[in-house]
Short mmCIF file of all heavy atoms in Angstrom, two decimals:
data_model
loop_
_atom_site.label_atom_id
_atom_site.label_comp_id
_atom_site.label_asym_id
_atom_site.label_seq_id
_atom_site.Cartn_x
_atom_site.Cartn_y
_atom_site.Cartn_z
N GLY E 51 0.36 -5.83 20.93
CA GLY E 51 -0.86 -5.88 21.72
C GLY E 51 -2.09 -5.34 21.02
O GLY E 51 -3.19 -5.71 21.36
N ALA E 52 -1.93 -4.44 20.05
CA ALA E 52 -3.08 -3.87 19.35
C ALA E 52 -2.56 -3.09 18.15
O ALA E 52 -1.36 -2.95 17.96
CB ALA E 52 -3.90 -2.97 20.27
N THR E 53 -3.46 -2.55 17.36
CA THR E 53 -3.09 -1.74 16.20
C THR E 53 -2.43 -0.45 16.67
O THR E 53 -2.90 0.21 17.60
CB THR E 53 -4.34 -1.41 15.37
OG1 THR E 53 -4.95 -2.62 14.96
CG2 THR E 53 -3.99 -0.58 14.16
N LEU E 54 -1.34 -0.07 16.01
CA LEU E 54 -0.69 1.20 16.30
C LEU E 54 -1.34 2.25 15.41
O LEU E 54 -1.26 2.18 14.18
CB LEU E 54 0.81 1.12 16.01
CG LEU E 54 1.58 2.44 16.12
CD1 LEU E 54 1.53 2.99 17.53
CD2 LEU E 54 3.02 2.24 15.67
N ASN E 55 -2.01 3.22 16.00
CA ASN E 55 -2.65 4.30 15.26
C ASN E 55 -1.80 5.55 15.38
O ASN E 55 -1.33 5.89 16.46
CB ASN E 55 -4.05 4.59 15.83
CG ASN E 55 -4.98 3.41 15.64
OD1 ASN E 55 -5.30 3.05 14.53
ND2 ASN E 55 -5.40 2.81 16.73
N ILE E 56 -1.62 6.22 14.27
CA ILE E 56 -0.88 7.48 14.25
C ILE E 56 -1.89 8.59 13.94
O ILE E 56 -2.57 8.53 12.92
CB ILE E 56 0.25 7.45 13.21
CG1 ILE E 56 1.24 6.35 13.57
CG2 ILE E 56 0.93 8.81 13.11
CD1 ILE E 56 2.31 6.11 12.54
N ASN E 57 -2.00 9.55 14.82
CA ASN E 57 -2.93 10.67 14.63
C ASN E 57 -4.36 10.20 14.44
O ASN E 57 -5.10 10.74 13.62
CB ASN E 57 -2.51 11.55 13.45
CG ASN E 57 -1.22 12.27 13.73
OD1 ASN E 57 -0.90 12.56 14.86
ND2 ASN E 57 -0.46 12.54 12.69
N LYS E 58 -4.79 9.21 15.20
CA LYS E 58 -6.13 8.64 15.04
C LYS E 58 -7.24 9.62 15.41
O LYS E 58 -8.22 9.74 14.71
CB LYS E 58 -6.27 7.37 15.89
CG LYS E 58 -7.64 6.73 15.77
CD LYS E 58 -7.72 5.47 16.59
CE LYS E 58 -9.10 4.84 16.47
NZ LYS E 58 -9.20 3.64 17.26
N THR E 59 -7.07 10.33 16.50
CA THR E 59 -8.17 11.16 16.98
C THR E 59 -8.02 12.64 16.69
O THR E 59 -8.99 13.37 16.74
CB THR E 59 -8.34 10.99 18.50
OG1 THR E 59 -7.12 11.33 19.14
CG2 THR E 59 -8.73 9.57 18.84
N ASN E 60 -6.81 13.09 16.36
CA ASN E 60 -6.66 14.54 16.21
C ASN E 60 -6.77 15.03 14.77
O ASN E 60 -6.73 16.23 14.53
CB ASN E 60 -5.35 15.03 16.84
CG ASN E 60 -4.12 14.42 16.21
OD1 ASN E 60 -4.21 13.75 15.19
ND2 ASN E 60 -2.98 14.66 16.81
N GLY E 61 -6.89 14.13 13.80
CA GLY E 61 -7.12 14.53 12.42
C GLY E 61 -5.97 15.28 11.77
O GLY E 61 -6.16 16.04 10.83
N VAL E 62 -4.75 15.09 12.27
CA VAL E 62 -3.59 15.78 11.72
C VAL E 62 -2.99 14.93 10.60
O VAL E 62 -2.89 13.72 10.71
CB VAL E 62 -2.55 16.03 12.84
CG1 VAL E 62 -1.28 16.64 12.27
CG2 VAL E 62 -3.14 16.92 13.91
N ASP E 63 -2.60 15.58 9.51
CA ASP E 63 -1.96 14.86 8.41
C ASP E 63 -0.65 14.25 8.89
O ASP E 63 -0.02 14.74 9.83
CB ASP E 63 -1.67 15.80 7.25
CG ASP E 63 -2.95 16.34 6.60
OD1 ASP E 63 -4.04 15.87 6.97
OD2 ASP E 63 -2.84 17.21 5.74
N THR E 64 -0.23 13.15 8.23
CA THR E 64 0.99 12.45 8.61
C THR E 64 1.87 12.31 7.38
O THR E 64 1.40 11.90 6.32
CB THR E 64 0.65 11.05 9.18
OG1 THR E 64 -0.27 11.21 10.26
CG2 THR E 64 1.90 10.36 9.67
N SER E 65 3.15 12.62 7.52
CA SER E 65 4.10 12.52 6.42
C SER E 65 5.26 11.64 6.85
O SER E 65 5.77 11.77 7.96
CB SER E 65 4.61 13.92 6.04
OG SER E 65 5.55 13.83 5.00
N PHE E 66 5.67 10.74 5.97
CA PHE E 66 6.82 9.88 6.21
C PHE E 66 7.88 10.20 5.16
O PHE E 66 7.56 10.29 3.97
CB PHE E 66 6.44 8.40 6.11
CG PHE E 66 5.43 7.98 7.15
CD1 PHE E 66 4.08 8.05 6.89
CD2 PHE E 66 5.84 7.53 8.40
CE1 PHE E 66 3.14 7.68 7.83
CE2 PHE E 66 4.91 7.16 9.36
CZ PHE E 66 3.55 7.23 9.07
N ASP E 67 9.11 10.35 5.59
CA ASP E 67 10.24 10.59 4.70
C ASP E 67 9.98 11.80 3.81
O ASP E 67 10.14 11.74 2.59
CB ASP E 67 10.54 9.34 3.87
CG ASP E 67 11.86 9.42 3.13
OD1 ASP E 67 12.77 10.12 3.61
OD2 ASP E 67 11.98 8.80 2.06
N ASN E 68 9.55 12.90 4.43
CA ASN E 68 9.35 14.17 3.74
C ASN E 68 8.41 14.05 2.54
O ASN E 68 8.67 14.59 1.48
CB ASN E 68 10.70 14.77 3.33
CG ASN E 68 10.58 16.26 3.04
OD1 ASN E 68 9.72 16.93 3.58
ND2 ASN E 68 11.45 16.75 2.18
N GLY E 69 7.33 13.30 2.70
CA GLY E 69 6.32 13.22 1.65
C GLY E 69 6.39 11.99 0.77
O GLY E 69 5.60 11.85 -0.15
N THR E 70 7.35 11.08 1.02
CA THR E 70 7.37 9.83 0.25
C THR E 70 6.04 9.12 0.42
O THR E 70 5.45 8.61 -0.53
CB THR E 70 8.53 8.93 0.68
OG1 THR E 70 9.75 9.63 0.43
CG2 THR E 70 8.53 7.62 -0.08
N LEU E 71 5.53 9.09 1.66
CA LEU E 71 4.19 8.58 1.96
C LEU E 71 3.50 9.65 2.78
O LEU E 71 4.04 10.11 3.79
CB LEU E 71 4.25 7.27 2.74
CG LEU E 71 2.91 6.69 3.19
CD1 LEU E 71 2.06 6.28 1.98
CD2 LEU E 71 3.11 5.51 4.10
N TYR E 72 2.30 10.06 2.34
CA TYR E 72 1.59 11.16 3.00
C TYR E 72 0.14 10.77 3.20
O TYR E 72 -0.51 10.26 2.28
CB TYR E 72 1.67 12.42 2.12
CG TYR E 72 1.15 13.66 2.80
CD1 TYR E 72 1.97 14.42 3.61
CD2 TYR E 72 -0.16 14.06 2.63
CE1 TYR E 72 1.51 15.57 4.24
CE2 TYR E 72 -0.64 15.21 3.25
CZ TYR E 72 0.20 15.96 4.05
OH TYR E 72 -0.27 17.08 4.66
N VAL E 73 -0.38 11.00 4.40
CA VAL E 73 -1.77 10.71 4.70
C VAL E 73 -2.47 12.03 4.99
O VAL E 73 -2.10 12.75 5.92
CB VAL E 73 -1.91 9.77 5.92
CG1 VAL E 73 -3.37 9.52 6.24
CG2 VAL E 73 -1.18 8.45 5.66
N ASP E 74 -3.47 12.36 4.16
CA ASP E 74 -4.30 13.55 4.34
C ASP E 74 -5.49 13.14 5.19
O ASP E 74 -6.46 12.56 4.69
CB ASP E 74 -4.74 14.09 2.98
CG ASP E 74 -5.59 15.34 3.07
OD1 ASP E 74 -6.17 15.61 4.15
OD2 ASP E 74 -5.69 16.04 2.06
N ALA E 75 -5.42 13.43 6.49
CA ALA E 75 -6.44 12.96 7.42
C ALA E 75 -7.80 13.61 7.19
O ALA E 75 -8.83 12.98 7.37
CB ALA E 75 -5.98 13.22 8.86
N SER E 76 -7.82 14.87 6.76
CA SER E 76 -9.10 15.56 6.60
C SER E 76 -9.89 15.04 5.41
O SER E 76 -11.11 15.06 5.41
CB SER E 76 -8.87 17.07 6.46
OG SER E 76 -8.13 17.34 5.28
N ALA E 77 -9.20 14.56 4.37
CA ALA E 77 -9.89 14.08 3.17
C ALA E 77 -9.83 12.56 3.02
O ALA E 77 -10.33 12.01 2.04
CB ALA E 77 -9.29 14.73 1.92
N ASN E 78 -9.18 11.87 3.98
CA ASN E 78 -9.00 10.41 3.90
C ASN E 78 -8.36 10.00 2.58
O ASN E 78 -8.85 9.13 1.86
CB ASN E 78 -10.33 9.68 4.10
CG ASN E 78 -10.81 9.76 5.52
OD1 ASN E 78 -10.01 9.76 6.44
ND2 ASN E 78 -12.10 9.85 5.70
N ARG E 79 -7.24 10.64 2.26
CA ARG E 79 -6.51 10.35 1.03
C ARG E 79 -5.06 10.02 1.36
O ARG E 79 -4.51 10.50 2.35
CB ARG E 79 -6.55 11.55 0.09
CG ARG E 79 -7.95 11.86 -0.42
CD ARG E 79 -7.95 13.06 -1.30
NE ARG E 79 -9.28 13.28 -1.85
CZ ARG E 79 -9.66 14.39 -2.41
NH1 ARG E 79 -8.82 15.41 -2.51
NH2 ARG E 79 -10.88 14.51 -2.89
N VAL E 80 -4.44 9.20 0.49
CA VAL E 80 -3.05 8.80 0.67
C VAL E 80 -2.27 9.22 -0.57
O VAL E 80 -2.73 9.01 -1.70
CB VAL E 80 -2.93 7.28 0.88
CG1 VAL E 80 -1.47 6.85 0.94
CG2 VAL E 80 -3.68 6.86 2.14
N GLY E 81 -1.12 9.81 -0.35
CA GLY E 81 -0.25 10.19 -1.44
C GLY E 81 1.08 9.47 -1.34
O GLY E 81 1.64 9.36 -0.26
N ILE E 82 1.56 9.00 -2.46
CA ILE E 82 2.91 8.43 -2.55
C ILE E 82 3.68 9.34 -3.50
O ILE E 82 3.32 9.46 -4.67
CB ILE E 82 2.89 6.98 -3.05
CG1 ILE E 82 2.12 6.09 -2.07
CG2 ILE E 82 4.31 6.47 -3.27
CD1 ILE E 82 1.93 4.66 -2.54
N GLY E 83 4.68 10.02 -2.97
CA GLY E 83 5.45 10.97 -3.78
C GLY E 83 4.77 12.32 -3.95
O GLY E 83 5.21 13.14 -4.73
N VAL E 84 3.69 12.55 -3.22
CA VAL E 84 2.95 13.81 -3.33
C VAL E 84 2.31 14.13 -1.98
O VAL E 84 1.87 13.23 -1.27
CB VAL E 84 1.88 13.73 -4.45
CG1 VAL E 84 0.86 12.67 -4.16
CG2 VAL E 84 1.23 15.06 -4.71
N THR E 85 2.33 15.41 -1.59
CA THR E 85 1.76 15.80 -0.30
C THR E 85 0.38 16.44 -0.43
O THR E 85 -0.16 16.93 0.55
CB THR E 85 2.70 16.78 0.44
OG1 THR E 85 2.94 17.90 -0.40
CG2 THR E 85 4.02 16.09 0.80
N ASN E 86 -0.19 16.43 -1.62
CA ASN E 86 -1.55 16.93 -1.82
C ASN E 86 -2.34 15.95 -2.69
O ASN E 86 -2.71 16.27 -3.80
CB ASN E 86 -1.53 18.33 -2.45
CG ASN E 86 -0.80 18.35 -3.78
OD1 ASN E 86 -0.04 17.44 -4.10
ND2 ASN E 86 -1.04 19.39 -4.56
#
Side-chain angles (χ1 to χ4, degrees):
T53 301
L54 173 63
N55 295 296
I56 298 173
N57 293 332
K58 180 179 180 181
T59 58
N60 61 8
V62 175
D63 295 352
T64 305
S65 179
F66 297 90
D67 192 28
N68 199 27
T70 299
L71 176 65
Y72 189 86
V73 178
D74 181 340
S76 63
N78 289 325
R79 294 178 176 165
V80 175
I82 298 175
V84 62
T85 57
N86 58 343

